[in-house]
Amino acid sequence: MFETNVFGVIAVTNAVLPLLRRSPAPRIVNVSSHAASLTLTSDPDGPFAALLPSAAYSPSKTALCALTVQYANELRKDGVLVNAVAPGFVDTDSNNHTGFLTVAQGAAVVVRLATLGPDGPTAGFFAEDGPVPW
């Protein structure tokens, strides 16, 4: 999980940074999960209390959010907006098609953040309905 969700993101991001720095509207959108939110997952009465404990998926997505903030801080001076997104419970192979959102619905927030204007947020964590608590 960490190889894909953290180290893979570092490798890809570092590889495309020269291109992003030449772009007129550089954006990085890291796909995270509501399960990355320490606020949401630590609430014993919250919506994620029933999640099975994980030493891989949730911590790797939390690390991805931390990485998002670090890249945002580093690249802010270059005008690169870097954010993390929780697309929601999307119907995919990874959840055995138990999600209730279509792929298009999950992608909407990703596209919105990828097409932010120059005054858009950076170093944030967002879902379709707004900011996700860290």
Side-chain angles (χ1 to χ4, degrees):
M1 290 285 172
F2 275 81
E3 189 63 42
T4 298
N5 292 334
V6 180
F7 306 124
V9 170
I10 292 169
V12 171
T13 300
N14 289 344
V16 300
L17 276 178
L19 295 173
L20 285 170
R21 286 188 167 109
R22 293 195 311 250
S23 170
R27 307 292 179 261
I28 296 172
V29 181
N30 290 322
V31 179
S32 189
S33 167
H34 286 90
S37 169
L38 296 175
T39 301
L40 295 176
T41 59
S42 65
D43 180 354
D45 300 316
F48 295 94
L51 281 180
L52 293 174
S54 169
Y57 181 77
S58 294
S60 72
K61 291 296 190 173
T62 302
L64 176 62
C65 287
L67 182 64
T68 298
V69 172
Q70 296 306 306
Y71 272 116
N73 289 338
E74 176 187 344
L75 299 171
R76 185 177 275 122
K77 67 186 177 314
D78 298 326
V80 181
L81 302 183
V82 186
N83 292 291
V85 62
F89 195 37
V90 178
D91 181 15
T92 65
D93 289 346
S94 67
N95 61 31
N96 205 25
H97 296 282
T98 58
F100 54 84
L101 297 173
T102 67
V103 171
Q105 288 170 317
V109 66
V110 178
V111 172
R112 188 175 83 237
L113 289 171
T115 57
L116 287 171
D119 295 329
T122 194
F125 184 18
F126 300 94
E128 186 59 36
D129 57 353
V132 176
W134 296 108

